[in-house]
Amino acid sequence: TEDHAPQTEISKMVVVAKGDHVWYDPGSTGEFDLPIGAVVKQADAGQIVIVTDEGEEKWVPTAEANKLKIMHPSSIDGVEDMIKLGDLHEAGILHNLMMRYNDPKGCNIYTYTGSILVAVNPFQVLDIYDGKVMETYKNCKLGEMPPHIFAIADNAYYFMRRDKSNQAVIISGESGAGKTESTKLILQFLASVSGQHSWIEQQILEANPILEAFGNAKTIRNDNSSRFGKYIDVHFDAQGAIEGARIEQYLLEKSRLARQAKDERNYHVFYRLLAGCSDAEKQKLFLTRAEDYVYLTAGDCITLPGMDDAEEWQRIRGAMKVLMFSEADQWNVFVLLAACLHLGNIEFEGMTINNMDASEISSDRVVRDVCKLLSVDQGELSSALTSRSTFTRGEVIVTQISANDANDVRDAFVKAIYGRVFIWIVAKINTAIYKPSVDGGIQRSIGVLDIFGFENFVINSFEQLCINVAHEQLQFFFN
């Protein structure tokens, strides 16, 4: 601060001068209202002018000078590890992340809080993940190099080998924060650091495009949101080489199959199936365009900018071959996906039978196509969708159901089919990548938990409620 710069007293102990960094608290009481960092532009006897971190100029009368507080020097330029912050509060943490992200010397998206890594999604491709960068983070202790996702992966690998104990990396955050990409980067680093470049490593990495296609979808906040949780356990031998892996999935958001919010999509795989299949394959599956299916148009969003569904479909087919899906396996999956789409187009017409609500299927053609795909009797499927069977005292009582109830039965049937397909796909992947220890040999593991993103919609599904509760428990653990 210049010697001649005027100073204004804020309290008996604190004064501000031109150029000082301060916290400005406007005094709002909203849930997300916090003090914000600012720089004193002018400090006269009557008022103080500050420029906030957001570039907004504010005039603060000296009578309200208690809204300002001197910023600790550690918060001015930002620190790599936030346990070094003198202003260790929510506003200080957010300010530090912003300062690092906007660093003129280069965008720093990673920041430590002790052994926890905080990542800010830049929504752009950064040149900080190639082979040369990987090499610089191998065999480095946490804190020796700038914060990076590779440092977390290397730290887990180092302690697994040194202490001969299993490790785990937990990745948590809001939808769109970059959890899925972080998971892929950790797996890529572990594949590199093991030094084998084996077929099993390639198979583990190829599981990602399949799981993303069947378990990810566009939401309001994220074009590639994981709508399920996965835990990937990577297994290593005594020399630190990858021997195999095992994937556990949980809480797939099946409600998305039947309905999506505005500007959201169903699971990627449906759009990619329709965009990538040949005309001959579509004809066998009785498929046309994505716009023709109720389950794909509820969110009024068919395509995504920057995402080529046809190209992604070829990646899925290639990954399935690497993971030992036979041609018959693949075709059976495609048949079930097509059946789900056709089931969504079945409409019911309400009626009254014996003064009871009943319903019947409006179009036989759609049901006929479904039955051909599923190899079931058309009459039995129609009856299952429009009636309810009750077992009592050894008797079976069949009652008709209303059109609304029939819609619910249809949607539940589709959710059950897709849920079983998803479980089968994960099991099929595990068959290819899981290699049990031979002759009782030593096998260590590094687990990577990619928990799905928490979101707060106007109407939240039961699955979303469970997701948010799980995230709250993780946040308690982190804090």
Side-chain angles (χ1 to χ4, degrees):
T1 306
E2 300 178 22
D3 293 337
H4 62 273
Q7 297 183 334
T8 300
E9 185 175 355
I10 292 181
S11 67
K12 293 182 179 180
M13 301 296 296
V14 181
V15 293
V16 295
K18 180 180 178 181
D20 281 350
H21 291 261
V22 297
W23 296 109
Y24 170 64
D25 186 356
S28 300
T29 57
E31 181 181 359
F32 301 107
D33 291 328
L34 295 169
I36 188 171
V39 178
V40 177
K41 181 179 180 181
Q42 178 182 331
D44 291 333
Q47 59 191 356
I48 305 164
V49 181
I50 61 172
V51 179
T52 69
D53 288 339
E54 297 175 346
E56 186 178 359
E57 188 173 287
K58 292 187 176 291
W59 295 67
V60 183
T62 52
E64 300 178 6
N66 60 346
K67 293 182 177 180
L68 302 178
K69 180 182 178 182
I70 294 294
M71 183 180 291
H72 191 276
S74 61
S75 295
I76 294 175
D77 296 320
V79 293
E80 290 187 346
D81 191 337
M82 290 191 287
I83 64 172
K84 299 177 181 178
L85 285 175
D87 297 318
L88 193 54
H89 46 62
E90 189 172 357
I93 290 172
L94 294 175
H95 173 80
N96 187 74
L97 295 175
M98 187 199 70
M99 294 299 295
R100 289 181 53 72
Y101 187 85
N102 294 328
D103 189 345
K105 299 177 183 178
C107 176
N108 296 306
I109 65 170
Y110 294 118
T111 306
Y112 289 129
T113 302
S115 60
I116 298 172
L117 182 72
V118 180
V120 178
N121 191 344
F123 291 99
Q124 59 180 304
V125 178
L126 300 179
D127 188 22
I128 58 173
Y129 303 110
D130 57 24
K132 291 182 179 179
V133 177
M134 281 188 183
E135 288 298 322
T136 62
Y137 279 91
K138 289 181 181 179
N139 300 315
C140 285
K141 294 181 180 179
L142 213 62
E144 288 184 354
M145 294 285 292
H148 200 288
I149 189 70
F150 291 159
I152 296 295
D154 184 73
N155 199 51
Y157 184 77
Y158 170 79
F159 280 107
M160 179 197 69
R161 298 204 64 188
R162 190 195 73 173
D163 299 341
K164 295 181 174 55
S165 62
N166 298 336
Q167 304 292 310
V169 180
I170 299 175
I171 303 175
S172 172
E174 189 174 8
S175 180
K179 298 178 298 302
T180 299
E181 291 302 315
S182 294
T183 300
K184 290 189 284 189
L185 290 168
I186 287 177
L187 293 176
Q188 289 171 13
F189 183 88
L190 293 177
S192 174
V193 76
S194 71
Q196 301 300 307
H197 305 292
S198 62
W199 178 245
I200 189 65
E201 293 172 1
Q202 183 63 28
Q203 287 181 309
I204 294 171
L205 295 177
E206 288 296 328
N208 278 315
I210 299 175
L211 293 175
E212 285 189 19
F214 285 84
N216 288 28
K218 179 192 181 302
T219 65
I220 296 173
R221 298 190 181 97
N222 184 2
D223 286 352
N224 189 35
S225 177
S226 297
R227 308 317 300 159
F228 72 107
K230 65 176 176 286
Y231 181 77
I232 305 174
D233 214 26
V234 184
H235 303 145
F236 300 82
D237 61 20
Q239 287 71 45
I242 291 180
E243 277 191 329
R246 188 171 185 83
I247 299 172
E248 293 185 29
Q249 62 79 30
Y250 50 92
L251 209 63
L252 176 70
E253 186 188 44
K254 287 181 280 191
S255 60
R256 178 167 297 274
L257 291 160
R259 58 186 62 86
Q260 307 92 43
K262 177 72 174 175
D263 295 326
E264 292 195 346
R265 296 209 313 178
N266 208 316
Y267 287 105
H268 292 323
V269 69
F270 291 113
Y271 306 91
R272 294 172 183 177
L273 170 73
L274 295 168
C277 276
S278 66
D279 290 339
E281 290 173 326
K282 284 185 181 179
Q283 188 173 3
K284 291 179 181 178
L285 297 171
F286 313 114
L287 293 174
T288 53
R289 309 172 306 151
E291 291 82 357
D292 296 330
Y293 298 97
V294 174
Y295 282 164
L296 304 185
T297 56
D300 196 24
C301 180
I302 300 296
T303 59
L304 288 179
M307 183 179 289
D308 188 332
D309 286 320
E311 181 180 328
E312 292 295 331
W313 179 249
Q314 298 309 315
R315 285 191 63 199
I316 296 168
R317 298 290 296 265
M320 284 183 164
K321 291 179 181 178
V322 171
L323 287 159
M324 312 305 290
F325 284 71
S326 67
E327 291 295 328
D329 289 336
Q330 295 180 47
W331 183 251
N332 288 335
V333 171
F334 305 157
V335 166
L336 290 171
L337 292 176
C340 289
L341 292 179
H342 291 304
L343 281 164
N345 280 4
I346 294 178
E347 296 180 348
F348 302 92
E349 183 177 342
M351 60 177 60
T352 302
I353 299 178
N354 297 328
N355 296 323
M356 300 282 290
D357 285 336
S359 60
E360 65 178 4
I361 296 174
S362 304
S363 173
D364 285 340
R365 182 188 62 79
V366 179
V367 180
R368 187 166 57 249
D369 291 344
V370 172
C371 290
K372 288 179 181 179
L373 291 170
L374 297 180
S375 299
V376 297
D377 180 77
Q378 183 173 343
E380 291 183 357
L381 179 61
S382 298
S383 176
L385 293 176
T386 57
S387 64
R388 178 184 297 111
S389 298
T390 305
F391 297 87
T392 174
R393 295 182 180 180
E395 294 185 69
V396 179
I397 301 175
V398 179
T399 55
Q400 298 297 310
I401 59 176
S402 67
N404 286 336
D405 288 343
N407 283 324
D408 292 338
V409 170
R410 175 204 60 202
D411 292 345
F413 184 38
V414 170
K415 293 173 188 178
I417 292 174
Y418 194 84
R420 292 293 184 89
V421 169
F422 191 76
I423 291 171
W424 181 86
I425 285 174
V426 174
K428 185 70 177 177
I429 292 173
N430 282 332
T431 300
I433 65 176
Y434 177 63
K435 310 295 179 185
S437 179
V438 180
D439 298 329
I442 297 174
Q443 191 178 68
R444 304 297 180 191
S445 69
I446 296 177
V448 182
L449 174 64
D450 176 14
I451 188 168
F452 25 175
F454 61 83
E455 298 195 29
N456 185 20
F457 299 109
V458 176
I459 300 176
N460 292 288
S461 66
F462 175 73
E463 291 100 330
Q464 190 63 52
L465 173 64
C466 294
I467 290 168
N468 293 348
V469 170
H471 270 289
E472 284 191 16
Q473 295 301 316
L474 281 177
Q475 292 307 313
F476 281 130
F477 170 75
F478 285 140
N479 292 339

